[in-house]
């Protein structure tokens, strides 16, 4: 062991810094957030998440994106500048149709969003129920291969929906 107390690795390289690094002192905002988190009831964070989801659904319901002009605000910057659908294009319209119970129309606007929605909803309910009430719902185990496969499908969907010839032109929203 060297005289300065640091461990050495292969070929004499140190594996940890001599004396270690001091932990940074949290700033005022971080201390405030940590105090607020420590004092808040366990159901506050899931309630805030439910509020954010409710705001998003309320926006989709009130704005009625199915009757909006393509360049109506707020617009998708990628679609506005390039004319291409982004990976999330059609998601708000799909949500509007899901909230009105029209799953075929929702799938027409964003199939992968409609496919993923039950999984996302279950994961959210399981997390929020555990955080707020201590529920132990069966864990949804999704392997990294399934996640990579889903992301690859989303990437392929995002590319294919922008191709101008049949049958891919039917995916353009």
């Amino acid at each position: 062991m060297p005289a300065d107390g640091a461990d050495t690795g292969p070929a004499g390289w140190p594996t940890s810094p001599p004396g270690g690094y001091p932990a940074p002192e949290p700033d005022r905002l971080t201390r405030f957030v940590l105090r607020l988190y420590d004092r808040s009831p366990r159901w506050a964070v899931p309630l805030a998440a439910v509020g954010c989801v409710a705001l998003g659904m309320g926006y989709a319901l009130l704005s009625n994106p199915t009757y909006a002009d393509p360049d109506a605000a707020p617009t998708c910057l990628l679609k506005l500048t390039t004319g291409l659908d982004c990976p999330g294009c059609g998601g708000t319209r799909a949500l509007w149709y899901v909230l009105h119970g029209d799953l075929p129309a929702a799938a027409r606007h964003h199939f992968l969003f409609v496919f993923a929605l039950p999984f996302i909803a279950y994961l959210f309910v399981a997390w929020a129920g555990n955080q707020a009430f201590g529920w132990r719902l069966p864990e949804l185990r999704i392997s990294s291969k399934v996640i990579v496969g889903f992301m690859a499908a989303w990437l392929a969907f995002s590319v294919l929906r922008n191709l101008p010839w049949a049958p891919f032109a039917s995916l353009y929203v």
Side-chain angles (χ1 to χ4, degrees), residues 69-128:
D69 293 330
D71 58 348
T75 60
C76 174
L77 186 59
L78 181 70
K79 190 164 187 162
L80 186 64
T81 57
T82 65
L84 300 174
D85 281 342
C86 73
C89 274
T92 307
R93 286 170 280 173
L95 177 64
W96 190 87
Y97 282 118
V98 165
L99 292 174
H100 285 86
D102 192 354
L103 291 180
R108 162 70 181 94
H109 286 280
H110 205 297
F111 174 76
L112 291 175
F113 171 76
V114 175
F115 173 77
L117 198 56
F119 298 103
I120 294 169
Y122 180 80
L123 288 170
F124 178 75
V125 168
W127 170 80

Side-chain angles (χ1 to χ4, degrees), residues 37-47 127-136:
Y37 179 76
D38 288 338
R39 294 177 183 170
S40 66
R42 62 188 282 180
W43 48 264
V45 173
L47 183 64
W127 170 80
N130 185 17
Q131 291 291 316
F133 308 113
W135 297 344
R136 295 286 179 191

